[in-house]
Every structure is written in C-alpha cells, then in structure tokens.
Amino acid sequence: MDLAFTPEEQAFREEIRAWVKNNLPADIAHKVHNALRLSRDDMQRWAKILGKKGWLGYGWPKQFGGPGWNAVQKHLFEEECALAGAPRIVPFGPVMVAPVIMAFGNKEQQERFLPGIASGEVWWSQGYSEPGSGSDLASVKTRAERQGNTYLVNGQKTWTTLGQYGEWIFCLVRTSTEGKPQTGISFLLIDMKSPGVTVRPIKLLDGECEVNEVFFDNVVVPAENLIGEENKGWTYAKHLLSHERTNIADVNRAKRELERLKRIAKTEGVWDDTRFRDEIAKLEVDVVALEMLVLRVLSAEKSGKNSLDIAGLLKIKGSEIQQRYSELMMLAAGPYSLPFIEEAMEAGWQGDFPGGSWANAPLASTYFNMRKTTIYGGSNEVQRNIVAQTVLG
C-alpha cells in the first residue's frame, strides 16, 4: 500500500489549509483548541461560511451542488479543518440526512431540502433512539398513522443531540406492526415547529444540555415528507448509519487532540516521564491505525462497495480513542484537573485557581462528555456482536 499523497493531493491540501486559515474566525478556533463552550452561533457561523464556499456539503457529488471530491480529498479537507481548530460540522444535515435524500428522495424533495442543508441555513436533528430503543433501532415505537395526505405522529425520541436548536428532524417511525420489526419502519421528515412537537433538554454530567427528549403529540406531517417507500425506512436507516459511524470515528479531531495532549504533558512536566510518554505513543499508534481504517472505508465508498461492517469497527475504535485521550489529559494535569468549574468553559473567563492553564473545567468537562462515546450510535458491545456475525462469520 502506497500511503504517500500525490503532488496533486498535496497541492489540494495546501489550498484547503490556506483557505481555512483565511476564513476560520479566530475566536472560534481559540474555543476549539481549548475545549471551550461553542454556542449555536459559533457552529452555524462556521457552517454558513462553508456553505457560501460550497463546502458544507463537502462529500456531495457535483450534481447536487457539492464539490465532487474523491475520498482522499474529503479526508484532507476534514483533516485540515480539524487541525486548524474548526468546529466539527454538525453532521445531521449535510452528512446524514442529505445522502438519504439524494439516494432515495424524489426530485421535489431534493429541490426542497438540499439547498437549505448546503447553505447551513437549516438546522437538522436526528430522531432515531427512543427509550428502550437505542442500539436496537428495529424496536422503535413512535407511530405514524396514514390519514389521507398526512401522517399523525405520536411517540418520543431521546438523546437527540443539539435538538434544542433543531428546525427539522428526520425520524424513524413505525407505520406497520406486521411481519418482522424492520419491515414496518418508515423514514419521515418533520418540521420541529409543528404543533405537538415538544423538546426537553437533558442536562449531562459536564453541565451541558447537549442531548434532548423530543415528544410528538398528534403531530400532523404531510405525506409528501415521506422519504422513499412506506415501510422501507430500515433500508434507508442502514444507508445513513454507514455515514454516521464513519463520522463518529472523528479521526481528525483525535489527531488534533493528540497534539493538545502533548502540549499539556509538556506544560505540566510529565513529558519526561517515560511511562507516561509510552501511553501517548500507544495512543498515537491507535490513531494512525484508525486513520488507515477510515481511508479503507472511504475507498470502499468510492468504489461502490458496502462499507457498513467496517464502519462498525471505526465506531468502536474511534470512541475508545476519544475516551483515552481525554483520560490522559486528566492524568497529565493530575489533581488540578479534578475541579469542575462550569464558568471556565466560557472564553475570556479569568479564574484564580491553582495548577496549569490546562486544568479545571476544560479537561474535566471533556472527560465527562466522552464517557458517552462508547454508547451512542450503537453501543460498542452491540457493535462487536455485529462485527463478529457479519465480518468474522
């Protein structure tokens, strides 16, 4: 395997690097590099900057308004954005639902929904998990009853990431109870401003309301918002999950945070500890291996092969790496990393506390938040079973 980038790919990387340097707001990059709180405005400001350039849908083909980049170009774009301190693109619109609309939506749906996703104007949320239906999505109970030209939706979704900002939500809903559970699921797009939609934030261990419960009480949804065929939503959901699990791996953020870990270790005086540096080295080996897996998935995607099984492996390794680097940052700062001071997550906060500049809330909050990574998107225990069955046989 030749891992060297071609001169053309290197030139592409330089082009991306220069553009990001000139267009990424410095205040946003400062927050990202120091694990400070990003507001809705921060995230959407960057999305709109990318949208104006035509790069928010960086994985899209040209026929739908994307740049038509190949797998390597997409990877280089993600890497340069992450290393520069750009916020991670909120994936629910451009990375998740857009490919489903492109692949299975009709022309009218594509013309209606894709422009708002590509520009960053419309904030999308994901309505998959329910109480009792997390990793086992086939058991979803949120019901959509067909009534003429509309569906009447009742039920509940949970762990809806950034759902408090959502304007539209794509949902798996049950339209039939006959046959296998997977055969009665449909893929429905719902306006979150519709009467009967209630969003209730859930406060997490790190003090953030990153996830939400979403309730549907007799919500009327036009039948034209159904993607593809009724009761075929499980097929569309699997298509989306291959994109989600590749995105969850987040290898480029891991590379950026690995460098942050090294800075913390040097600042806190533990860089010269051989045993600690061994732990960093082992993490770096895992990050490189994860990157190779990501490139493998993107290569399969480019050639039209089904990459979902490998995407499950990406989810497992990516989530474990995220937990590991957040833990090593805490270990590097020692006792000074333990206090959780929510105010320290705000840019410009000047607190009088002992320890290095890396200590307190930014480390503790990241550590707390990363406890979730091995659970969401299909828990790692379930993912291992799937890999054992589909890959190992």
Side-chain angles (χ1 to χ4, degrees):
M1 181 185 293
D2 183 5
L3 298 180
F5 292 109
T6 66
E8 292 77 15
E9 289 164 348
Q10 291 288 10
F12 177 83
R13 179 197 287 277
E14 294 298 328
E15 177 192 346
I16 297 296
R17 182 178 297 169
W19 186 88
V20 172
K21 181 180 179 181
N22 292 330
N23 290 274
L24 174 62
D27 62 316
I28 294 179
H30 171 75
K31 289 183 177 182
V32 171
H33 280 306
N34 293 283
L36 301 175
R37 180 182 284 119
L38 289 168
S39 67
R40 182 189 195 278
D41 176 69
D42 292 330
M43 291 181 278
Q44 197 153 31
R45 189 160 34 122
W46 177 236
K48 289 180 179 179
I49 291 171
L50 288 174
K52 188 176 181 180
K53 179 67 174 176
W55 287 355
L56 183 59
Y58 66 95
W60 297 14
K62 288 184 177 179
Q63 71 181 97
F64 292 111
W69 291 338
N70 61 36
V72 173
Q73 289 173 315
K74 289 186 285 188
H75 176 74
L76 291 174
F77 170 78
E78 292 173 341
E79 182 173 70
E80 290 303 320
C81 286
L83 296 178
R88 186 171 177 234
I89 291 173
V90 178
F92 309 112
V95 179
M96 295 185 187
V97 75
V100 174
I101 295 173
M102 292 175 196
F104 305 106
N106 57 42
K107 190 172 186 295
E108 290 74 18
Q109 291 169 334
Q110 292 167 355
E111 292 176 348
R112 178 185 177 190
F113 293 110
L114 292 180
I117 297 174
S119 67
E121 294 290 336
V122 182
W123 192 296
W124 280 80
S125 296
Q126 179 182 28
Y128 269 29
S129 293
E130 299 179 3
S133 299
S135 297
D136 179 21
L137 280 176
S139 65
V140 294
K141 296 181 176 62
T142 295
R143 179 80 180 173
E145 299 178 64
R146 184 70 180 255
Q147 298 184 346
N149 294 325
T150 63
Y151 285 96
L152 191 65
V153 180
N154 284 280
Q156 176 188 355
K157 297 294 179 179
T158 194
W159 312 126
T160 306
T161 303
L162 302 177
Q164 69 269 40
Y165 305 141
E167 296 165 291
W168 280 81
I169 185 170
F170 56 92
C171 288
L172 293 183
V173 294
R174 183 156 300 284
T175 45
S176 173
T177 56
E178 298 179 4
K180 292 182 178 180
Q182 292 91 333
T183 60
I185 294 173
S186 297
F187 197 100
L188 199 60
L189 311 181
I190 301 176
D191 186 342
M192 294 185 72
K193 297 184 294 294
S194 303
V197 177
T198 303
V199 179
R200 187 167 70 192
I202 302 171
K203 193 164 187 176
L204 301 181
L205 192 61
D206 66 353
E208 296 289 283
C209 294
E210 186 182 14
V211 292
N212 302 261
E213 294 177 288
V214 182
F215 299 90
F216 303 94
D217 183 15
N218 290 327
V219 178
V220 178
V221 180
E224 64 191 30
N225 290 5
L226 175 73
I227 295 295
E229 299 179 45
E230 193 172 274
N231 300 327
K232 295 290 182 65
W234 188 249
T235 299
Y236 314 147
K238 289 193 295 182
H239 181 82
L240 182 149
L241 285 173
S242 66
H243 293 272
E244 180 190 36
R245 286 173 187 150
T246 304
N247 193 258
I248 282 175
D250 214 359
V251 64
N252 298 306
R253 179 168 66 166
K255 292 171 73 172
R256 183 188 69 220
E257 295 302 296
L258 177 64
E259 294 306 310
R260 180 171 173 239
L261 168 60
K262 292 176 182 178
R263 295 197 303 271
I264 294 172
K266 292 172 183 177
T267 301
E268 297 299 325
V270 297
W271 180 254
D272 296 328
D273 184 321
T274 304
R275 289 187 176 181
F276 192 85
R277 216 159 60 231
D278 285 346
E279 293 301 315
I280 295 178
K282 287 191 289 186
L283 175 64
E284 189 157 11
V285 169
D286 281 345
V287 171
V288 172
L290 177 64
E291 185 176 20
M292 295 303 101
L293 269 178
V294 168
L295 292 173
R296 184 177 171 188
V297 169
L298 294 176
S299 177
E301 180 184 308
K302 182 181 177 182
S303 61
K305 297 177 182 177
N306 183 2
S307 61
L308 182 58
D309 297 336
I310 301 299
L313 290 172
L314 283 176
K315 195 275 170 178
I316 294 169
K317 290 305 299 180
S319 59
E320 290 177 347
I321 285 172
Q322 290 168 23
Q323 291 185 347
R324 187 61 182 148
Y325 67 63
S326 65
E327 181 180 354
L328 286 174
M329 288 179 189
M330 294 277 281
L331 288 171
Y336 296 127
S337 68
L338 294 178
F340 173 65
I341 304 172
E342 193 166 346
E343 292 82 358
M345 295 168 64
E346 297 291 347
W349 182 77
Q350 299 296 323
D352 182 18
F353 53 85
S357 60
W358 311 99
N360 293 287
L363 296 186
S365 62
T366 302
Y367 175 83
F368 290 148
N369 189 274
M370 290 300 177
R371 297 302 94 195
K372 71 190 179 190
T373 62
T374 50
I375 301 173
Y376 69 56
S379 70
N380 284 12
E381 291 82 1
V382 172
Q383 292 302 317
R384 286 188 172 90
N385 285 340
I386 293 173
V387 170
Q389 293 167 2
T390 61
V391 179
L392 303 178

